[in-house]
Amino acid sequence: MNRRAVYFMPSLLFATLAFVGSDANAVRFLWSGGVTPTSVQVRGKVDSDSAVVRLVVSDQSDFSAPLYSAPDTAITAENNRVVSLSMTGLTPNIQ
């Protein structure tokens, strides 16, 4: 998996999108909502079509011991390369 664009999000600490395949993928934007102490909904737009895009979160900046969301696809004709990802089982109050 290729990772691009690391984001800091207070409830997750560090988050990025991971892609399978092309090295050309880049994250255009990423936003979160529906945040609870143990879950989050994230939407992101990527530069090129990808069969597998996943949200990766970690409380470490080097992404050691990462958590991965279920995959989504980024296909222009289907979703304009905007993925919708959910992450559950997060640990609350990570500083």
Side-chain angles (χ1 to χ4, degrees):
M1 284 195 166
N2 302 312
R3 292 188 186 136
R4 300 282 187 267
V6 176
Y7 297 87
F8 175 76
M9 297 171 19
S11 62
L12 301 176
L13 295 184
F14 299 94
T16 191
L17 297 183
F19 310 90
V20 171
S22 172
D23 287 334
N25 283 314
V27 178
R28 297 295 248 162
F29 52 82
L30 183 69
W31 73 97
S32 65
V35 178
T36 74
T38 60
S39 66
V40 66
Q41 301 289 317
V42 173
R43 306 290 185 268
K45 182 171 176 85
V46 297
D47 274 344
S48 59
D49 289 1
S50 181
V52 178
V53 180
R54 298 173 79 183
L55 177 66
V56 185
V57 298
S58 178
D59 60 358
Q60 303 296 315
S61 62
D62 65 355
F63 285 87
S64 57
L67 298 174
Y68 292 89
S69 72
D72 195 4
T73 58
I75 307 297
T76 302
E78 293 176 15
N79 57 15
N80 200 28
R81 298 184 188 139
V82 175
V83 294
S84 182
L85 304 160
S86 298
M87 181 69 69
T88 59
L90 301 175
T91 304
N93 298 318
I94 295 293
Q95 300 292 322

